[in-house]
Amino acid sequence: MTGVIRFSWTATIALVLASIVTLGAFGWPFVVPPSTVAEASSHSADAPWIFVLVLPLLAMIVLGEVNAGGLDAKAIALLGMLSAIGGALRALSPGIAGLEPSFAVIMLGGRVFGRGFGFVQGCLTLFVGALLTGGVGPWLPFQMIAAGWVGMVSGSLPRVRGRWEVLMLAAVGFLLGVVYGALMNLWFWPFAHYGEGLSYEATSSAVGNLARYARYYAATSVIWDVSRGVFTCLVILVAGAPLLRALRRVSRLAAFDVPVRFEPADPVKELS
Amino acid sequence: MARKAFFAALLATLFTICGGLVATSPAEARADIYRYWTYFQVTDGEFVTSTKGVGATVPADGSIEAYRFAAPADFTKPNLPRADLGELTFDTICEHVDAADGKKRVAVIIDYGVPEDAEGGAEPPAPTAACAQADEKATGLQVLSAVAKTRAEEGLLCAIEGYPAAGCSVLVEQATPADPADPVEFELAGHEGDHHEDGGASTDASAEESDEGSNVPLLAAIGAVVLAIIVGGVLLSRRNKTAA
Amino acid sequence: MGAPRVKRLRIRGTYYPRVLHPGAWWLWALGLAAAATRTTNPVPLVLIIAVTWFVVTARRGDTPWASSYGLFFRLALIVIAIHVFFQALLSSQAQGLAVLFTLPEIPLPDSTGIKLGGAVTLEAVLTAVYYGLQLATIFCCIGAANALGSARRLLRYVPGALYEIGIACVIALTFAPQLAADAARVRSAGRLRGSRRGLRAFGRLAMPILEGSLERSVDLAAAMDSRGYGRTTGESAAARRTTAALVLIGAFGLMVGVYGLLTAHSFGTPLLLAGAALGVAGLWLGGRRTGRTRYRPDPWALPEVLVAGSGVLVAAAMFWTADHSPALLTLASPTDVPPVPVLACVGILAGLLPAVLAPPYPVSSAAFEVAA
């Protein structure tokens, strides 16, 4: 798997650790051992804040390790441009509804330039989008890492070419759009007090909380998430093929396939 | 080669930390003690811990509900209300409240616990027993609300009569000591169902209640401040607009 | 002093208009938000919202993101509405005694654990409003931080270890407005030509823009390469390994620390702190690799200290009250007349001071912002 950004093994470990914590942030209501009424609701009050404090640092560590592995100017420029496109689309897309064309851009970028690039692109797109719209908040690190996963997954899909590639990406896009929404709800869910049957209960079992979350999800956000999934799917179906062509052309133009090494002995190569 | 050595060192460190955690965790895990209101029902003259939350039960007419604030060392054996159920029966608690049509009468026993469980070692309110008269379909929480102020969170009872003042089932260091065998005196509350004159139940724990009358000027002052801020902001933004 | 020195307007008072260090605004807003997390009493919460709104009105600039406060405020209203809808209207366990009205009850089997409809009581509605208000207040604080302290300017302070990624962000922020303008142009051009609107037509017109911008990125990369971007100063392999080890052990410590905190183990907090310290140290060490200096750094002068300090003051007053008279911050019953925590309220009013203490925003410094 040739990628524009290669994950060094340290970056991989950092990413795995950060992903475990993020998954914990999303999934702790179902994992933390339940007990009877004895167990505190102090968990539900504080736990999300702990993650809010810890995740930015972990995200920085992962990106720092990726960075230390070496990013060349072409990767930087391309990252900047693609996250500008994604960020601008996020700023333009109407409201908070599921219509997020930036998802398609992240997926296609990850697909063409590899999973490492896809991860960083996903993170940066969300970050830039938040800066553009003035939407920086505690949710940002969660969104960044989840969007990074989206880029990574689409970069790790099997090699298929032609019409099937677009179809595969569209199908995965639908799935990721829905899953992303479910995860995003989840980090916020224990904060909210929506009454019994819909809210997190510290005293309840994992299965009970899962059922409660399912109800909450069905009641509040399934419409948005499915619409996001359908929209991503449609964008990829309609614009996927020409977009992939354009990205691959740039990839050839920038000669990413040729391993570029900055050796002092051969300065001509650097300027390619 | 150096890289391999480094990797090995890193792994060794991680494993050491893991090992340390595994070694320490079981002892720690048992030490968790929470302080909270336990909810009981009385069946066959004995206190039985409720399996449902306080908002999910519907007590029957003529039943007894009981609450105890404590930090049991073992949550499967919570401290019971220190009441003598031979003396404190439904009839003694509810003798002055007449049954009404479409309403049910439920005896409510509230034990605020011992000073060890009060914040800062203060004296907890005196234990009370009261007769609640509520709608047929009233939940345990609604029945309790008929005789005392309640603060609940997601079906979890946090405070009765503002006791404790803050928090909801908090982690504590010390468990409540085992209760002596002889029961304590329970105050039989007035029978009007008017919980504001519940006497012993509302003491210093709910400080705002005593000076509720003097609260209004303060509230008015805050309201005036908020209004002043809003008017000032509106004037400011209008001036900025004309200046621009 | 930063860019705005060019305009030496002296508008009443001692401060020259300049952009306050964004970190000061974020600290101020975090102080207010932290205060809001300690109470469900509507009195201090409403006061905090009023304070944030006033300071934003007094000190925001004419930048595009200055309007984000309004956006967050609307979001806050939605949060309250959702809370009332779910907790008050659909929940039966939260209900009290003062019945407001009765909704038709939709019978559901007991096993689902929920009841739809039924009597809606004042207690449930108030509880929902107060919880919603707490979240809404936090939203307003974040909105104020977004409107006042340009997060874009904060980007200058990304740690050196993230230098290249920071550059990618700056590139994105420079090109994104251009792309948005391009997109608007394409849309209006399409409308003038009378082409039908819709995804397909837009896609056909947008494709040239996209391809053009991608090519621009390759040009940009070549230009950056020739100017030596993306180079690192010589870094020994040992230093690199130390950085990696610090960062990885730090991340591991964070992970285990979070687990410990969630399961209420006593090792949670120390491990979390140690992990954070190691991670920060690693990032700092990694940042030295780039060996760069900062161009025109924002000053951290007296106004910054005062603004950040007022936020800390708000939080301190609230935390002190929470510690000494918690009854003032938590209502004994939702229908109680809310008590007034005088000290906390005075503290919150100290949060108003930045409206005077912070230097006014310079007139149209947006041009300088882009360079940041």
Short mmCIF file of all heavy atoms in Angstrom, two decimals, chain A residues 191-247:
data_model
loop_
_atom_site.label_atom_id
_atom_site.label_comp_id
_atom_site.label_asym_id
_atom_site.label_seq_id
_atom_site.Cartn_x
_atom_site.Cartn_y
_atom_site.Cartn_z
N PHE A 191 -24.25 13.50 28.61
CA PHE A 191 -24.46 14.85 29.12
C PHE A 191 -25.94 15.15 29.31
O PHE A 191 -26.32 15.91 30.18
CB PHE A 191 -23.97 15.89 28.12
CG PHE A 191 -22.53 16.20 28.19
CD1 PHE A 191 -21.70 15.94 27.14
CD2 PHE A 191 -22.00 16.79 29.31
CE1 PHE A 191 -20.37 16.25 27.18
CE2 PHE A 191 -20.67 17.11 29.37
CZ PHE A 191 -19.85 16.84 28.31
N ALA A 192 -26.71 14.63 28.40
CA ALA A 192 -28.06 15.14 28.25
C ALA A 192 -29.03 14.47 29.21
O ALA A 192 -28.86 13.32 29.59
CB ALA A 192 -28.52 14.92 26.82
N HIS A 193 -30.02 15.22 29.59
CA HIS A 193 -31.07 14.66 30.44
C HIS A 193 -32.36 14.67 29.65
O HIS A 193 -33.01 15.69 29.54
CB HIS A 193 -31.23 15.52 31.70
CG HIS A 193 -29.98 15.57 32.52
ND1 HIS A 193 -29.75 14.72 33.56
CD2 HIS A 193 -28.90 16.35 32.44
CE1 HIS A 193 -28.58 14.99 34.09
NE2 HIS A 193 -28.05 15.98 33.42
N TYR A 194 -32.68 13.59 29.07
CA TYR A 194 -33.85 13.54 28.21
C TYR A 194 -34.96 12.73 28.83
O TYR A 194 -35.91 12.35 28.17
CB TYR A 194 -33.51 12.96 26.84
CG TYR A 194 -32.62 13.85 26.03
CD1 TYR A 194 -31.57 13.32 25.29
CD2 TYR A 194 -32.83 15.22 25.99
CE1 TYR A 194 -30.75 14.14 24.54
CE2 TYR A 194 -32.01 16.04 25.25
CZ TYR A 194 -30.98 15.50 24.54
OH TYR A 194 -30.16 16.30 23.80
N GLY A 195 -34.83 12.40 30.08
CA GLY A 195 -35.87 11.60 30.70
C GLY A 195 -35.59 10.12 30.54
O GLY A 195 -34.72 9.72 29.77
N GLU A 196 -36.32 9.32 31.32
CA GLU A 196 -36.00 7.91 31.35
C GLU A 196 -36.34 7.26 30.02
O GLU A 196 -37.16 7.73 29.27
CB GLU A 196 -36.74 7.22 32.50
CG GLU A 196 -38.10 6.68 32.16
CD GLU A 196 -39.16 7.75 32.14
OE1 GLU A 196 -38.82 8.91 32.46
OE2 GLU A 196 -40.30 7.45 31.80
N GLY A 197 -35.67 6.18 29.77
CA GLY A 197 -35.92 5.48 28.53
C GLY A 197 -35.08 6.01 27.39
O GLY A 197 -34.85 5.33 26.41
N LEU A 198 -34.61 7.26 27.53
CA LEU A 198 -33.80 7.83 26.46
C LEU A 198 -32.41 8.24 26.94
O LEU A 198 -31.51 8.41 26.15
CB LEU A 198 -34.48 9.07 25.87
CG LEU A 198 -35.80 8.84 25.14
CD1 LEU A 198 -36.36 10.17 24.69
CD2 LEU A 198 -35.61 7.94 23.95
N SER A 199 -32.23 8.41 28.25
CA SER A 199 -30.98 8.95 28.75
C SER A 199 -30.08 7.87 29.33
O SER A 199 -30.54 6.79 29.69
CB SER A 199 -31.23 9.99 29.84
OG SER A 199 -32.27 10.82 29.49
N TYR A 200 -28.83 8.25 29.45
CA TYR A 200 -27.86 7.35 30.07
C TYR A 200 -28.19 7.18 31.55
O TYR A 200 -28.50 8.14 32.24
CB TYR A 200 -26.46 7.95 29.92
CG TYR A 200 -25.42 7.21 30.71
CD1 TYR A 200 -25.07 5.92 30.37
CD2 TYR A 200 -24.80 7.81 31.80
CE1 TYR A 200 -24.13 5.24 31.10
CE2 TYR A 200 -23.85 7.13 32.53
CZ TYR A 200 -23.52 5.85 32.18
OH TYR A 200 -22.58 5.18 32.90
N GLU A 201 -28.11 5.94 32.01
CA GLU A 201 -28.29 5.70 33.44
C GLU A 201 -27.08 4.96 33.96
O GLU A 201 -26.76 3.87 33.51
CB GLU A 201 -29.54 4.86 33.69
CG GLU A 201 -30.78 5.72 33.90
CD GLU A 201 -32.02 4.88 34.10
OE1 GLU A 201 -31.92 3.83 34.75
OE2 GLU A 201 -33.06 5.29 33.58
N ALA A 202 -26.40 5.59 34.91
CA ALA A 202 -25.17 5.01 35.43
C ALA A 202 -25.46 3.67 36.11
O ALA A 202 -24.61 2.80 36.18
CB ALA A 202 -24.53 5.97 36.42
N THR A 203 -26.68 3.52 36.59
CA THR A 203 -26.98 2.34 37.37
C THR A 203 -27.40 1.17 36.51
O THR A 203 -27.58 0.07 37.01
CB THR A 203 -28.13 2.64 38.33
OG1 THR A 203 -29.25 3.06 37.55
CG2 THR A 203 -27.76 3.75 39.29
N SER A 204 -27.56 1.42 35.23
CA SER A 204 -28.15 0.37 34.40
C SER A 204 -27.06 -0.49 33.76
O SER A 204 -25.90 -0.11 33.69
CB SER A 204 -29.01 1.01 33.33
OG SER A 204 -29.45 0.05 32.43
N SER A 205 -27.45 -1.63 33.27
CA SER A 205 -26.50 -2.53 32.63
C SER A 205 -26.18 -2.01 31.23
O SER A 205 -26.83 -1.12 30.71
CB SER A 205 -27.11 -3.92 32.51
OG SER A 205 -28.17 -3.86 31.59
N ALA A 206 -25.13 -2.61 30.65
CA ALA A 206 -24.72 -2.19 29.32
C ALA A 206 -25.84 -2.38 28.32
O ALA A 206 -26.11 -1.53 27.48
CB ALA A 206 -23.48 -2.98 28.89
N VAL A 207 -26.53 -3.52 28.44
CA VAL A 207 -27.60 -3.82 27.49
C VAL A 207 -28.73 -2.80 27.65
O VAL A 207 -29.28 -2.29 26.67
CB VAL A 207 -28.13 -5.25 27.72
CG1 VAL A 207 -29.27 -5.54 26.74
CG2 VAL A 207 -27.00 -6.25 27.52
N GLY A 208 -29.03 -2.49 28.90
CA GLY A 208 -30.08 -1.50 29.16
C GLY A 208 -29.73 -0.16 28.55
O GLY A 208 -30.55 0.50 27.92
N ASN A 209 -28.45 0.24 28.72
CA ASN A 209 -28.04 1.52 28.16
C ASN A 209 -28.03 1.49 26.65
O ASN A 209 -28.34 2.48 26.00
CB ASN A 209 -26.65 1.90 28.69
CG ASN A 209 -26.74 2.68 29.98
OD1 ASN A 209 -27.68 3.45 30.15
ND2 ASN A 209 -25.80 2.47 30.87
N LEU A 210 -27.67 0.33 26.11
CA LEU A 210 -27.66 0.21 24.65
C LEU A 210 -29.08 0.38 24.12
O LEU A 210 -29.31 1.09 23.13
CB LEU A 210 -27.11 -1.17 24.26
CG LEU A 210 -26.50 -1.28 22.87
CD1 LEU A 210 -25.34 -0.30 22.74
CD2 LEU A 210 -26.00 -2.68 22.62
N ALA A 211 -30.03 -0.24 24.78
CA ALA A 211 -31.42 -0.11 24.36
C ALA A 211 -31.87 1.33 24.47
O ALA A 211 -32.54 1.87 23.59
CB ALA A 211 -32.31 -1.01 25.22
N ARG A 212 -31.45 1.97 25.57
CA ARG A 212 -31.84 3.35 25.78
C ARG A 212 -31.24 4.24 24.70
O ARG A 212 -31.88 5.14 24.18
CB ARG A 212 -31.34 3.79 27.16
CG ARG A 212 -32.44 4.36 28.00
CD ARG A 212 -32.01 4.50 29.42
NE ARG A 212 -32.45 3.37 30.19
CZ ARG A 212 -31.68 2.57 30.87
NH1 ARG A 212 -30.40 2.81 30.94
NH2 ARG A 212 -32.18 1.56 31.52
N TYR A 213 -29.97 3.95 24.37
CA TYR A 213 -29.33 4.76 23.34
C TYR A 213 -30.01 4.53 21.99
O TYR A 213 -30.22 5.47 21.23
CB TYR A 213 -27.85 4.43 23.22
CG TYR A 213 -27.18 5.25 22.14
CD1 TYR A 213 -27.07 6.62 22.29
CD2 TYR A 213 -26.73 4.67 20.96
CE1 TYR A 213 -26.51 7.39 21.30
CE2 TYR A 213 -26.18 5.43 19.97
CZ TYR A 213 -26.06 6.79 20.13
OH TYR A 213 -25.53 7.56 19.15
N ALA A 214 -30.36 3.28 21.72
CA ALA A 214 -31.02 2.98 20.45
C ALA A 214 -32.32 3.78 20.34
O ALA A 214 -32.62 4.36 19.29
CB ALA A 214 -31.30 1.48 20.35
N ARG A 215 -33.05 3.85 21.43
CA ARG A 215 -34.30 4.61 21.42
C ARG A 215 -34.02 6.10 21.18
O ARG A 215 -34.68 6.75 20.37
CB ARG A 215 -35.01 4.44 22.76
CG ARG A 215 -36.06 3.36 22.73
CD ARG A 215 -36.74 3.30 24.07
NE ARG A 215 -36.53 1.98 24.65
CZ ARG A 215 -36.05 1.77 25.86
NH1 ARG A 215 -35.71 2.78 26.62
NH2 ARG A 215 -35.90 0.55 26.30
N TYR A 216 -33.01 6.59 21.92
CA TYR A 216 -32.65 7.99 21.77
C TYR A 216 -32.25 8.29 20.34
O TYR A 216 -32.66 9.28 19.73
CB TYR A 216 -31.50 8.30 22.73
CG TYR A 216 -30.78 9.59 22.46
CD1 TYR A 216 -31.37 10.80 22.82
CD2 TYR A 216 -29.54 9.60 21.87
CE1 TYR A 216 -30.71 11.98 22.57
CE2 TYR A 216 -28.88 10.78 21.62
CZ TYR A 216 -29.47 11.96 21.97
OH TYR A 216 -28.82 13.13 21.73
N TYR A 217 -31.45 7.37 19.78
CA TYR A 217 -30.95 7.56 18.43
C TYR A 217 -32.10 7.57 17.44
O TYR A 217 -32.19 8.42 16.56
CB TYR A 217 -29.96 6.43 18.11
CG TYR A 217 -29.30 6.56 16.78
CD1 TYR A 217 -28.36 7.56 16.57
CD2 TYR A 217 -29.60 5.69 15.74
CE1 TYR A 217 -27.74 7.69 15.35
CE2 TYR A 217 -28.98 5.82 14.52
CZ TYR A 217 -28.05 6.82 14.33
OH TYR A 217 -27.44 6.95 13.11
N ALA A 218 -33.00 6.62 17.60
CA ALA A 218 -34.13 6.54 16.69
C ALA A 218 -35.00 7.79 16.82
O ALA A 218 -35.54 8.29 15.83
CB ALA A 218 -34.96 5.30 16.98
N ALA A 219 -35.10 8.30 18.05
CA ALA A 219 -36.00 9.44 18.26
C ALA A 219 -35.39 10.74 17.76
O ALA A 219 -36.11 11.63 17.32
CB ALA A 219 -36.33 9.56 19.75
N THR A 220 -34.06 10.88 17.87
CA THR A 220 -33.51 12.20 17.60
C THR A 220 -32.75 12.31 16.30
O THR A 220 -32.86 13.32 15.60
CB THR A 220 -32.53 12.61 18.72
OG1 THR A 220 -31.53 11.61 18.81
CG2 THR A 220 -33.24 12.76 20.03
N SER A 221 -31.95 11.30 15.95
CA SER A 221 -30.98 11.62 14.91
C SER A 221 -30.94 10.67 13.73
O SER A 221 -30.18 10.90 12.82
CB SER A 221 -29.59 11.69 15.54
OG SER A 221 -29.46 10.69 16.49
N VAL A 222 -31.76 9.64 13.77
CA VAL A 222 -31.61 8.67 12.69
C VAL A 222 -31.92 9.32 11.35
O VAL A 222 -31.30 9.01 10.33
CB VAL A 222 -32.46 7.41 12.97
CG1 VAL A 222 -33.92 7.66 12.73
CG2 VAL A 222 -31.98 6.26 12.13
N ILE A 223 -32.83 10.28 11.35
CA ILE A 223 -33.20 10.92 10.08
C ILE A 223 -32.00 11.67 9.50
O ILE A 223 -31.67 11.54 8.32
CB ILE A 223 -34.35 11.92 10.30
CG1 ILE A 223 -35.50 11.22 11.00
CG2 ILE A 223 -34.80 12.52 8.98
CD1 ILE A 223 -36.51 12.18 11.57
N TRP A 224 -31.32 12.41 10.37
CA TRP A 224 -30.18 13.20 9.89
C TRP A 224 -29.08 12.29 9.39
O TRP A 224 -28.47 12.55 8.35
CB TRP A 224 -29.63 14.08 11.01
CG TRP A 224 -30.65 14.94 11.64
CD1 TRP A 224 -31.07 14.91 12.93
CD2 TRP A 224 -31.43 15.95 11.00
NE1 TRP A 224 -32.05 15.83 13.13
CE2 TRP A 224 -32.29 16.49 11.98
CE3 TRP A 224 -31.48 16.44 9.70
CZ2 TRP A 224 -33.19 17.51 11.69
CZ3 TRP A 224 -32.37 17.46 9.42
CH2 TRP A 224 -33.21 17.98 10.40
N ASP A 225 -28.81 11.24 10.15
CA ASP A 225 -27.69 10.38 9.79
C ASP A 225 -27.95 9.64 8.50
O ASP A 225 -27.08 9.53 7.64
CB ASP A 225 -27.39 9.41 10.93
CG ASP A 225 -26.84 10.15 12.12
OD1 ASP A 225 -26.40 11.29 11.93
OD2 ASP A 225 -26.86 9.60 13.22
N VAL A 226 -29.18 9.15 8.35
CA VAL A 226 -29.49 8.45 7.11
C VAL A 226 -29.42 9.42 5.95
O VAL A 226 -28.89 9.10 4.88
CB VAL A 226 -30.87 7.77 7.20
CG1 VAL A 226 -31.32 7.30 5.84
CG2 VAL A 226 -30.80 6.61 8.16
N SER A 227 -29.88 10.66 6.18
CA SER A 227 -29.81 11.61 5.08
C SER A 227 -28.36 11.95 4.76
O SER A 227 -28.01 12.14 3.60
CB SER A 227 -30.61 12.87 5.41
OG SER A 227 -29.90 13.67 6.31
N ARG A 228 -27.51 11.98 5.80
CA ARG A 228 -26.09 12.21 5.51
C ARG A 228 -25.52 11.06 4.68
O ARG A 228 -24.82 11.28 3.69
CB ARG A 228 -25.28 12.35 6.79
CG ARG A 228 -23.80 12.52 6.51
CD ARG A 228 -22.92 12.25 7.69
NE ARG A 228 -23.02 13.30 8.69
CZ ARG A 228 -23.46 13.11 9.91
NH1 ARG A 228 -23.82 11.91 10.29
NH2 ARG A 228 -23.55 14.10 10.76
N GLY A 229 -25.86 9.84 5.11
CA GLY A 229 -25.37 8.67 4.39
C GLY A 229 -25.84 8.69 2.94
O GLY A 229 -25.04 8.50 2.01
N VAL A 230 -27.13 8.96 2.74
CA VAL A 230 -27.68 8.96 1.37
C VAL A 230 -27.01 10.05 0.55
O VAL A 230 -26.63 9.84 -0.61
CB VAL A 230 -29.21 9.18 1.41
CG1 VAL A 230 -29.74 9.47 0.03
CG2 VAL A 230 -29.87 7.96 1.99
N PHE A 231 -26.81 11.20 1.18
CA PHE A 231 -26.22 12.31 0.44
C PHE A 231 -24.78 12.00 0.02
O PHE A 231 -24.40 12.21 -1.12
CB PHE A 231 -26.26 13.56 1.32
CG PHE A 231 -25.91 14.81 0.58
CD1 PHE A 231 -26.79 15.34 -0.35
CD2 PHE A 231 -24.71 15.44 0.79
CE1 PHE A 231 -26.48 16.48 -1.05
CE2 PHE A 231 -24.38 16.59 0.10
CZ PHE A 231 -25.27 17.12 -0.81
N THR A 232 -23.99 11.47 0.98
CA THR A 232 -22.62 11.09 0.64
C THR A 232 -22.61 10.09 -0.50
O THR A 232 -21.84 10.20 -1.45
CB THR A 232 -21.93 10.48 1.88
OG1 THR A 232 -22.13 11.35 2.98
CG2 THR A 232 -20.47 10.29 1.66
N CYS A 233 -23.50 9.12 -0.39
CA CYS A 233 -23.63 8.08 -1.40
C CYS A 233 -23.92 8.72 -2.76
O CYS A 233 -23.27 8.41 -3.76
CB CYS A 233 -24.74 7.14 -0.96
SG CYS A 233 -24.99 5.76 -2.02
N LEU A 234 -24.88 9.64 -2.79
CA LEU A 234 -25.26 10.28 -4.05
C LEU A 234 -24.11 11.09 -4.62
O LEU A 234 -23.83 11.02 -5.83
CB LEU A 234 -26.47 11.19 -3.81
CG LEU A 234 -27.83 10.50 -3.77
CD1 LEU A 234 -28.92 11.50 -3.51
CD2 LEU A 234 -28.06 9.75 -5.07
N VAL A 235 -23.44 11.85 -3.76
CA VAL A 235 -22.33 12.68 -4.26
C VAL A 235 -21.27 11.81 -4.90
O VAL A 235 -20.76 12.12 -5.97
CB VAL A 235 -21.74 13.51 -3.10
CG1 VAL A 235 -20.42 14.13 -3.52
CG2 VAL A 235 -22.70 14.59 -2.67
N ILE A 236 -20.96 10.68 -4.23
CA ILE A 236 -19.93 9.81 -4.79
C ILE A 236 -20.40 9.19 -6.09
O ILE A 236 -19.66 9.10 -7.07
CB ILE A 236 -19.53 8.74 -3.76
CG1 ILE A 236 -18.84 9.40 -2.59
CG2 ILE A 236 -18.60 7.72 -4.39
CD1 ILE A 236 -18.43 8.46 -1.50
N LEU A 237 -21.67 8.79 -6.15
CA LEU A 237 -22.18 8.19 -7.37
C LEU A 237 -22.13 9.18 -8.52
O LEU A 237 -21.76 8.84 -9.65
CB LEU A 237 -23.63 7.71 -7.16
CG LEU A 237 -23.81 6.38 -6.45
CD1 LEU A 237 -25.27 6.04 -6.34
CD2 LEU A 237 -23.05 5.28 -7.19
N VAL A 238 -22.51 10.44 -8.25
CA VAL A 238 -22.60 11.42 -9.32
C VAL A 238 -21.22 11.96 -9.69
O VAL A 238 -20.85 12.00 -10.85
CB VAL A 238 -23.53 12.58 -8.89
CG1 VAL A 238 -23.48 13.70 -9.91
CG2 VAL A 238 -24.95 12.07 -8.76
N ALA A 239 -20.46 12.35 -8.66
CA ALA A 239 -19.21 13.05 -8.95
C ALA A 239 -17.98 12.21 -8.66
O ALA A 239 -16.86 12.67 -8.85
CB ALA A 239 -19.16 14.35 -8.14
N GLY A 240 -18.19 10.98 -8.20
CA GLY A 240 -17.05 10.16 -7.78
C GLY A 240 -16.04 9.91 -8.89
O GLY A 240 -14.84 10.13 -8.70
N ALA A 241 -16.55 9.48 -10.04
CA ALA A 241 -15.62 9.10 -11.11
C ALA A 241 -14.77 10.28 -11.57
O ALA A 241 -13.54 10.17 -11.61
CB ALA A 241 -16.41 8.49 -12.27
N PRO A 242 -15.37 11.42 -11.92
CA PRO A 242 -14.50 12.54 -12.33
C PRO A 242 -13.58 13.03 -11.22
O PRO A 242 -12.43 13.38 -11.49
CB PRO A 242 -15.50 13.64 -12.73
CG PRO A 242 -16.81 13.22 -12.22
CD PRO A 242 -16.79 11.74 -12.10
N LEU A 243 -14.07 13.00 -9.96
CA LEU A 243 -13.22 13.43 -8.86
C LEU A 243 -12.01 12.51 -8.71
O LEU A 243 -10.88 12.97 -8.54
CB LEU A 243 -14.01 13.45 -7.55
CG LEU A 243 -14.80 14.72 -7.26
CD1 LEU A 243 -15.69 14.52 -6.05
CD2 LEU A 243 -13.85 15.87 -7.01
N LEU A 244 -12.27 11.21 -8.77
CA LEU A 244 -11.17 10.26 -8.65
C LEU A 244 -10.15 10.50 -9.77
O LEU A 244 -8.94 10.48 -9.54
CB LEU A 244 -11.71 8.82 -8.73
CG LEU A 244 -12.27 8.25 -7.45
CD1 LEU A 244 -12.89 6.89 -7.72
CD2 LEU A 244 -11.17 8.11 -6.41
N ARG A 245 -10.69 10.74 -10.99
CA ARG A 245 -9.78 11.00 -12.12
C ARG A 245 -8.91 12.22 -11.83
O ARG A 245 -7.69 12.19 -12.00
CB ARG A 245 -10.60 11.22 -13.39
CG ARG A 245 -10.56 10.05 -14.34
CD ARG A 245 -10.93 10.45 -15.76
NE ARG A 245 -12.12 11.29 -15.86
CZ ARG A 245 -13.37 10.82 -15.83
NH1 ARG A 245 -13.59 9.53 -15.68
NH2 ARG A 245 -14.40 11.63 -15.94
N ALA A 246 -9.56 13.30 -11.35
CA ALA A 246 -8.82 14.53 -11.09
C ALA A 246 -7.74 14.31 -10.04
O ALA A 246 -6.59 14.74 -10.19
CB ALA A 246 -9.78 15.63 -10.64
N LEU A 247 -8.11 13.59 -8.97
CA LEU A 247 -7.15 13.36 -7.89
C LEU A 247 -5.98 12.49 -8.37
O LEU A 247 -4.83 12.74 -8.02
CB LEU A 247 -7.85 12.72 -6.69
CG LEU A 247 -8.82 13.62 -5.94
CD1 LEU A 247 -9.61 12.82 -4.91
CD2 LEU A 247 -8.07 14.73 -5.24
#
